[in-house]
Amino acid sequence: MVAGYFLLPLDPLGPHRPALSWTVFGLALLLVALLLLRQVRDVLVNRPQARPGVVIPLLMCLSVLVFSAGYYSLAKQPGEFRGLATRTDALYYTTVTLATVGGDITPEGQAARVVTVVQVLYSFVFLTAAATALTRHVRNQVIRSRQRDRQGRG
């Protein structure tokens, strides 16, 4: 997935095609959010064929890469970011923002600041819900495993 991020042709996106760029970014975030919510629902209703242990981490990584691609494309617009010039910079900035630790890359333009706020809110809502569901799923798996072990001994 990360290799795909570095190989994905992002040059058609950016300030020279803002409508396309914002549409692709918004649709990608919406799709990942809907897929995450579906996984959360599957965990909450104990859907037996669900695979949240695999799907949720992949979707969480994908959301990071969507924001990274968005930041990389946005950074092509002069005045939006200070210190963000490469895909690695964008991935670094996304990770640092997700971890809320701050860093040396600064969103200076209004669009960059809005996308950063969206990332923080997206993380609070969707990634937190997904991580909580994943934790619940793992805990339930451990409980079921312990119950099977006890029944096997008894």
Side-chain angles (χ1 to χ4, degrees), residues 28-47 50 52 55-60 63 121-134:
L29 279 184
L30 178 63
L31 177 63
V32 174
L34 291 173
L35 291 171
L36 280 169
L37 289 176
R38 183 176 179 180
Q39 290 298 310
V40 169
R41 181 204 62 200
D42 289 350
V43 168
L44 292 176
V45 300
N46 288 321
R47 190 167 157 245
V55 178
I56 288 176
L58 288 173
L59 289 172
M60 292 174 85
S63 69
L121 295 174
Y122 186 95
S123 299
F124 284 155
V125 174
F126 297 106
L127 298 186
T128 300
T132 302
L134 182 58

Side-chain angles (χ1 to χ4, degrees), residues 8-87:
L8 192 68
L10 296 176
D11 291 333
L13 303 175
H16 56 283
R17 299 178 88 184
L20 176 65
S21 300
W22 288 109
T23 301
V24 168
F25 178 69
L27 288 175
L29 279 184
L30 178 63
L31 177 63
V32 174
L34 291 173
L35 291 171
L36 280 169
L37 289 176
R38 183 176 179 180
Q39 290 298 310
V40 169
R41 181 204 62 200
D42 289 350
V43 168
L44 292 176
V45 300
N46 288 321
R47 190 167 157 245
Q49 61 270 36
R51 310 292 298 173
V54 174
V55 178
I56 288 176
L58 288 173
L59 289 172
M60 292 174 85
C61 290
L62 184 57
S63 69
V64 168
L65 297 176
V66 168
F67 275 104
S68 295
Y71 289 135
Y72 176 72
S73 296
L74 187 58
K76 294 177 184 178
Q77 176 71 35
E80 288 296 335
F81 279 99
R82 181 170 26 98
L84 197 157
T86 67
R87 291 178 195 230

Side-chain angles (χ1 to χ4, degrees), residues 78-125:
E80 288 296 335
F81 279 99
R82 181 170 26 98
L84 197 157
T86 67
R87 291 178 195 230
T88 302
D89 292 340
L91 186 57
Y92 164 79
Y93 178 73
T94 305
T95 305
V96 166
T97 301
L98 179 64
T100 65
V101 295
D104 52 339
I105 296 174
T106 308
E108 293 185 337
Q110 295 304 298
R113 290 178 179 184
V114 167
V115 173
T116 301
V117 168
V118 168
Q119 182 193 345
V120 170
L121 295 174
Y122 186 95
S123 299
F124 284 155
V125 174

